[in-house]
Amino acid sequence: MNQEYNVLAEEAGNRIDRYLSERNQEISRSYIQKLLKDESVLVNGKTVKSNYKVCAEDKILVNIPEAVEPEIEPEDIDLDILYEDRDIILINKPKG
């Protein structure tokens, strides 16, 4: 999914990671920094680092990859269950 932003004059001077986290509060700042590191953020067609300060009229394109559901396979393991009822289970975890 691509998102586009045009920086206004009053927004100039902010770090790009902060600017993007303020514009899209659904994405964490650390994830934005990862996108910057992965070169998924372009400013005026060029990649930038997370300390880049946005300028008025910058055109920012953010490519957010689609979320992939991990395939988790259950394991058949023996558990030493000490107590179990409807609300709680107590499992003995061996040391080591």
Side-chain angles (χ1 to χ4, degrees):
M1 166 177 60
N2 288 332
Q3 296 180 349
E4 293 184 33
Y5 302 94
N6 292 315
V7 180
L8 303 174
E10 59 268 15
E11 298 169 318
N14 285 323
R15 282 176 49 126
I16 191 164
D17 56 347
R18 183 174 179 175
Y19 169 82
L20 290 172
S21 67
E22 289 174 357
R23 293 290 302 264
N24 189 341
Q25 296 180 357
E26 297 171 5
I27 302 173
S28 71
R29 192 166 171 183
S30 61
Y31 186 64
I32 290 169
Q33 290 172 342
K34 180 187 179 317
L35 292 173
L36 286 158
K37 186 176 181 182
D38 293 343
E39 299 183 350
S40 296
V41 178
L42 300 177
V43 178
N44 302 322
K46 298 178 183 175
T47 60
V48 294
K49 295 186 179 182
S50 60
N51 64 351
Y52 173 80
K53 295 192 187 259
V54 297
C55 300
E57 300 183 22
D58 272 351
K59 294 188 184 345
I60 302 172
L61 177 65
V62 181
N63 180 16
I64 301 173
E66 293 293 323
V68 177
E69 190 72 32
E71 291 185 29
I72 301 173
E73 296 292 324
E75 291 184 40
D76 186 20
I77 57 174
D78 291 327
L79 298 175
D80 184 11
I81 299 174
L82 301 176
Y83 175 81
E84 178 179 6
D85 67 22
R86 196 180 95 188
D87 299 315
I88 192 168
I89 187 167
L90 197 69
I91 299 173
N92 182 28
K93 179 182 172 192
K95 293 182 181 180

